[in-house]
Amino acid sequence: MYFPQRKFQRCTLLRASVEKQLTEGEWFGVTTDLWTSSGGGGEPCISFMVYYVSSDWTLKSQCLETLFFPDDLTAENICDMVDNMLQEWKIKEKISGVTTDNATNMREA
């Protein structure tokens, strides 16, 4: 996918802003979900959100990722994808809990 330079710069600035905000969190709660898009070929997607309390005791939340999920929806693949996201956002060691739906593959992950 091609992004014009200005859009790419905005995405880079937005990501830097979110990364800075995440430094306020000591512990994070995570929600994640898989679904199939309704348009076109019905592509599988995954979303990844975090929740935390800032230093001034304000509840914060961020949607860190919404991605196409090209692999089989197995527990192992889901676990790998979530683990990669946690590492990429540098919050892996700060997770206090994860909430998902009741799908078998999500429970097993």
Side-chain angles (χ1 to χ4, degrees):
M1 178 181 277
Y2 171 75
F3 287 105
Q5 185 64 26
R6 238 183 341 191
K7 284 187 180 182
F8 182 76
Q9 288 172 337
R10 276 189 253 150
C11 289
T12 302
L13 291 172
L14 178 60
R15 182 179 178 101
S17 173
V18 171
E19 286 176 341
K20 183 178 180 186
Q21 291 175 51
L22 291 178
T23 64
E24 294 182 37
E26 188 172 334
W27 297 103
F28 296 86
V30 173
T31 60
T32 187
D33 192 23
L34 287 162
W35 74 94
T36 302
S37 68
S38 59
E43 303 292 343
C45 299
I46 187 168
S47 273
F48 184 76
M49 293 197 57
V50 294
Y51 304 86
Y52 60 98
V53 176
S54 68
S55 57
D56 67 353
W57 290 93
T58 303
L59 179 62
K60 304 278 186 163
S61 64
Q62 299 285 343
C63 180
L64 299 183
E65 305 274 354
T66 299
L67 303 168
F68 169 64
F69 197 96
D71 300 320
D72 291 334
L73 302 178
T74 65
E76 182 179 353
N77 289 340
I78 294 166
C79 198
D80 287 345
M81 176 74 88
V82 170
D83 188 60
N84 289 338
M85 285 188 245
L86 292 172
Q87 288 181 42
E88 182 180 329
W89 287 95
K90 300 173 183 81
I91 59 172
K92 184 175 180 176
E93 305 303 322
K94 298 180 175 186
I95 300 302
S96 62
V98 178
T99 302
T100 69
D101 62 14
N102 203 27
T104 301
N105 56 352
M106 293 299 273
R107 286 194 325 263
E108 289 176 2

